[in-house]
Amino acid sequence: MDIIKDFFENAFSSRIRVVIVAMIAFAAILISRLFYLQILNGSEYQDNYNLKLEKTESIAATRGNIYDRNGNLLAYNELVYAVTIQDTGTYSSTTERSQSLNTEIAEIISKLESNGDTIDNDFGIYIDSSGSFQFLSSGSALQRFRADIFGKNSVDDLEYNEKLGIDEATATADQIVEYLEGEKVYNISDEYSKKLRYEIMVVRYNMGQNSYQKYISTVIASDVSDESVAFIKENINELTGVDVEQKSLRRYVDSEYFAHIIGYTGQISTSEYKELSATDSTVETTDIVGKSGIEKYMNDYLSGTKGFETLYVDSVGNTIAEGDYQAAVSGNDVYLSIDMDLQKAAYILLEQEIAGILYSKIQNIKEYSTTSSSDVVVPIYDVYYSLIKNGIIDINAFSDSNASQTEKDVLSAYEVKEKEVLATLKSQLKASNETVYNQLPEEYQAYSTYIVTTLKSLGIFDASAIDTTSDVQTSWTSEEMAVNKYLIYAIEQNWIDITKYESEAKYADTDELYSDLVDYIIDYLSTDTSFQKLVYKYLLLDDNISGSQLCLILYEQGVLSKEDDEDYTKLAGGQITAYEFMLSKIKSLEITPGQLALDPCSGSTVLIDVKTGEVLAMVTYPGYDNNKLANSVDADYYSYLTNSAANPLYNYATQQRTAPGSTFKIVSSTAGLAENVITTTSEIVDLGQYTKVSNNPKCWIYPSNHGSINVSEAIRDSCNYFFYEVGWRLAGGDGAYDDATGIDKITEYASLYGLDETTGIEIEENSPHIATEYPVMAAIGQSDNNYTTIGLARYAAAIASEGTVYNLTLLDSVRDADGNVIESYSPSVRNQIDVLNASEWDAIHYGMRMVCESLSSFNGFSVEVAGKTGTAQQVASRPNHALFIGFAPYSDPEISIATRIAYGYTSHNAAEVSKDILAYYFGVSATEDLLSGEASTVSNSENEFTD
């Protein structure tokens, strides 16, 4: 005890005493503070900790509506429920992350699909009806997609990827899918079906696109059912980062008629995001923007201003409190100059006329060949084949488990034929084969051409490397060489890139390289849909399958409905032939020219208010359903559009350029009168054949002639000889003729009519092209004159108004949500043609009035119309283009029109439909009679080059 007592006495009397006391005091304070924080106020501080997880979310603005000039709704928004996901989980490794996300996404997709819902899918690869992966786009868009996949800033950065063993610039759809689904990227289990793996990959890819922006939800599926909403809500605590949100979808009214004007919206692309985000910090990778048409041009007005809200969330992303909030400002509404009813009527009338022309040209024959555009007909077998070629019938569906017996029979016949064709081709491609191209049957000539063309399109055969002067190339183009010899030579000359078809680098001689190429070709053809369609063509021509079978398949695949259709019963029972059946369906427009994509299958018409320059209608046929491209792209539908020979995505009114034919003779009349090489009363004697130029062109009436006529009569008769002479005189005439002088004069006066530049409309428009050679031929609308329909409509309006040329617009106004006008639009006067006096304008107008008086189409028409027909030949093996420009009423012009039917045979067809459109506009015929829903009755006249 004494020892212990001495120790404490010494300790407290030493310097350590102070230290011990201090340590005890600090420990007491620390313990009491921990008790206060953890026990007494632990709950409060836990809440404060959770509130530290703050996130700010943007609120999308409601996109403005689009209306026609009369306030009829054309584009609007619909609020729907969308299933979304954010990656808010915590993981110990990337493998665990992939497994967790993939499992959750697979569960959600499976539930959605069981409820009849589908995922949103704008991915650049889709699964076609045969179960194969296909690219959604081509060209530069495809290369941009590949660059995005491989994380390249530019398509120029695409290169051979040694780790993956593929060339990024030519990576196939299968290679890209394999790469993304593999362990190095999304690590998607093989236990899932091919379709489900693909869908998981699409969702993961979309999440990846948003990964560098915090708190951005990725939409899995939009416009989901109530059952799907209930499933998500009921399981919200178990589904990490998954929620149901309201989303606005873009909808279009009467889409087929307006798609080329309005365009459509879609999720912002990588390139668009990089461009827009550089100047606007509010731009996000999930933004919806205008992709084409007015939606694109007026995007800034339509899109509105985003709002935002601050949320406080717990560690797993559940919202536990709300902070600052700023509402979004809706976009403004856009009003067009277009009249909805007139636009729809003009479209329907144009389709009826095109269908009537096609109907009148179909003959019950297998094949037909011609070297003259004046006697082109359409064999019924071309109609049958177009059902397959143009994708109306889905040949991949023939192998489905639920395929009909007819489909199975057709497939069985095809499989026998394909086996025979591939075996023959393999024999034909042997190095020892000596059969030259022109000695092959026509069928195998077609296959041989397809093989070479396909190798070029795949980049295996470098077309730019071909030496066009070589004897071998000359022999090939003259059809005097065997295809195998040509391909062997191409390998020897390094025209063929062996790395594109050799699976691994190796040293080999030409024979081995060629043998590998043949194997590649046969393998490729065996799965190539386009080649399969070509085989079907000859399967039809050989009568191994029948037109009746294909017509029945139209019902079995849902293209036509059996319900209340007597034609189905008659066809199935053999009471009508397939020929009679197809004529009936074309007549009733149940099968349309746009679907068949046979000549003619396209056209355009534009109507302009002569007094104001407003565009009242701008129709392109065929149209398309932009609802299927907005929001989330319908891959199958987009594939159909891009592969259709009718090219529905092409705006024929603003982009198609053809020779104007005799519609150009008004320019030549103006030039001749203004330059005083003719007067309103001077006459030129038509001798039938014009011999002052070396090609000795003929008047269309040759060997007859029009005699001695003045300018008004020459317009009426569309006398080529008269205008040859005008072109000659403009070029200096007898003793002073100079091509360049003549072209300069024609250019000068065509430019006065605005034919030297685009019209000013807000959507994509191709530039016109005034002739650059041969003024004598240019004066009748030939040479290399090329103009759009919208350009010709402005030209017609300028003629009608005695020289007022407008800069056109498709817009009327922009208005806010309360209807207040924010900005107004109207056509502006580009120039006034002041080179003609009143009597000269009268002479031109009178000539155009006589044109319509001489056309049977306008017989008995109560409105006086003035116009000019035009027929333009493009190739001898196809019908001529049909054109008409005009205005009405003749005495006080109110409306001008320009119509073009591509490969429409004769200008009388364009005049006929133009008359019907004017009849609707002026209300002189009953609407139900005009818009009958049936193909128009068209006379089966020859395709004469009469103007």
Side-chain angles (χ1 to χ4, degrees), residues 300-369:
D300 289 347
Y301 282 106
L302 290 164
S303 57
T305 303
K306 292 178 183 177
F308 71 88
E309 62 179 333
T310 301
L311 301 175
Y312 297 95
V313 299
D314 60 21
S315 57
V316 293
N318 295 318
T319 300
I320 55 178
E322 297 178 355
D324 295 339
Y325 177 86
Q326 180 173 310
V329 179
S330 298
N332 297 303
D333 297 329
V334 171
Y335 286 72
L336 305 181
S337 66
I338 300 295
D339 182 305
M340 182 181 77
D341 293 335
L342 181 61
Q343 176 83 6
K344 290 168 61 177
Y347 182 97
I348 293 168
L349 289 166
L350 186 60
E351 181 178 56
Q352 290 176 180
E353 182 69 22
I354 293 171
I357 301 168
L358 177 63
Y359 179 91
S360 72
K361 295 298 179 181
I362 296 173
Q363 293 188 9
N364 194 15
I365 56 178
K366 275 190 177 183
E367 294 182 281
Y368 185 83
S369 61

Side-chain angles (χ1 to χ4, degrees), residues 566-620:
E566 293 182 1
D567 286 340
Y568 171 75
T569 304
K570 291 178 180 178
L571 179 67
Q575 295 170 277
I576 59 173
T577 65
Y579 170 68
E580 293 168 327
F581 174 85
M582 285 307 306
L583 285 180
S584 172
K585 294 308 176 188
I586 293 169
K587 181 69 174 176
S588 64
L589 289 175
E590 291 173 83
I591 298 293
T592 67
Q595 289 176 295
L596 293 171
L598 298 167
D599 290 335
C601 65
S602 64
S604 55
T605 188
V606 179
L607 288 93
I608 295 176
D609 186 318
V610 171
K611 299 183 186 299
T612 66
E614 292 174 294
V615 180
L616 302 181
M618 189 178 76
V619 170
T620 282

Side-chain angles (χ1 to χ4, degrees), residues 14 268 283 349 475 507 543 664 685:
S14 67
I268 192 169
V283 174
L349 289 166
S475 295
Y507 294 98
D543 291 321
F664 191 77
V685 179

Side-chain angles (χ1 to χ4, degrees), residues 149-150 159-168 171 175-176 178-180 184-185:
I149 289 294
F150 295 110
E159 59 187 353
Y160 183 80
N161 191 314
E162 293 185 358
K163 291 183 178 179
L164 300 177
I166 58 175
D167 185 348
E168 295 170 343
Q175 288 173 329
I176 290 174
E178 183 180 357
Y179 161 65
L180 292 177
K184 296 180 180 179
V185 187

Side-chain angles (χ1 to χ4, degrees), residues 710-939:
N710 61 31
V711 65
S712 298
E713 295 164 333
I715 292 171
R716 176 196 65 195
D717 298 336
S718 200
C719 178
N720 287 345
Y721 191 101
F722 184 98
F723 289 102
Y724 291 147
E725 178 63 18
V726 170
W728 174 264
R729 294 179 185 181
L730 289 172
D734 298 344
Y737 178 84
D738 176 65
D739 261 21
T741 299
I743 289 298
D744 286 345
K745 291 298 182 185
I746 287 173
T747 300
E748 177 184 348
Y749 289 95
S751 298
L752 283 178
Y753 281 104
L755 293 174
D756 61 330
E757 63 183 21
T758 54
T759 65
I761 58 169
E762 291 78 10
I763 62 179
E764 187 175 357
E765 177 184 4
N766 279 333
S767 297
H769 183 80
I770 302 173
T772 57
E773 56 185 3
Y774 312 131
V776 168
M777 303 308 296
I780 69 164
Q782 294 187 31
S783 184
D784 54 343
N785 279 305
N786 278 289
Y787 305 103
T788 61
T789 307
I790 184 75
L792 292 176
R794 177 169 74 166
Y795 165 55
I799 297 167
S801 63
E802 297 189 0
T804 303
V805 182
Y806 288 99
N807 290 313
L808 303 181
T809 177
L810 295 172
L811 301 172
D812 174 79
S813 60
V814 175
R815 307 181 192 185
D816 64 20
D818 297 322
N820 300 310
V821 176
I822 295 173
E823 189 161 353
S824 294
Y825 299 84
S826 61
S828 60
V829 176
R830 173 188 183 269
N831 65 281
Q832 186 71 40
I833 301 173
D834 56 6
V835 297
L836 300 179
N837 60 39
S839 64
E840 290 169 332
W841 279 117
D842 287 345
I844 290 173
H845 286 181
Y846 181 55
M848 295 176 72
R849 174 62 189 142
M850 289 193 291
V851 168
C852 292
E853 288 177 329
S854 66
L855 287 171
S856 59
S857 302
F858 290 93
N859 287 347
F861 193 56
S862 60
V863 179
E864 291 186 334
V865 180
K868 185 71 194 79
T869 54
T871 303
Q873 185 183 69
Q874 185 161 323
V875 291
S877 60
R878 299 180 73 176
N880 295 322
H881 299 307
L883 299 101
F884 178 83
I885 63 169
F887 58 87
Y890 165 63
S891 58
D892 183 17
E894 178 181 330
I895 191 81
S896 70
I897 188 171
T899 300
R900 180 192 344 250
I901 301 176
Y903 307 107
Y905 287 84
T906 169
S907 60
H908 294 268
N909 294 328
E912 178 72 33
V913 69
S914 297
K915 183 265 295 181
D916 288 341
I917 294 169
L918 292 172
Y920 177 87
Y921 176 82
F922 287 106
V924 298
S925 298
T927 300
E928 58 270 20
D929 293 336
L930 287 170
L931 309 181
S932 65
E934 288 194 349
S936 301
T937 301
V938 176
S939 61

Side-chain angles (χ1 to χ4, degrees), residues 643-656:
N643 288 303
S644 170
N647 202 0
L649 290 174
Y650 190 68
N651 192 331
Y652 286 95
T654 67
Q655 292 178 283
Q656 183 182 42

Side-chain angles (χ1 to χ4, degrees), residues 79 88 95 125 175 191 203 205 244 266 294 369 372 431 449 467 487 540 655 684 774 785 805 836 940:
L79 278 177
T88 59
T95 299
I125 295 170
Q175 288 173 329
E191 294 179 1
V203 175
Y205 180 79
V244 173
I294 295 298
S369 61
S372 173
T449 299
D467 178 4
L487 293 176
L540 258 171
Q655 292 178 283
I684 294 173
Y774 312 131
N785 279 305
V805 182
L836 300 179
N940 197 16

Side-chain angles (χ1 to χ4, degrees), residues 115-135:
N115 293 329
D117 298 319
T118 57
I119 67 167
D120 284 11
N121 188 0
D122 288 322
F123 191 63
I125 295 170
Y126 68 100
I127 302 178
D128 67 18
S129 56
S130 69
S132 301
F133 292 118
Q134 302 288 348
F135 285 118

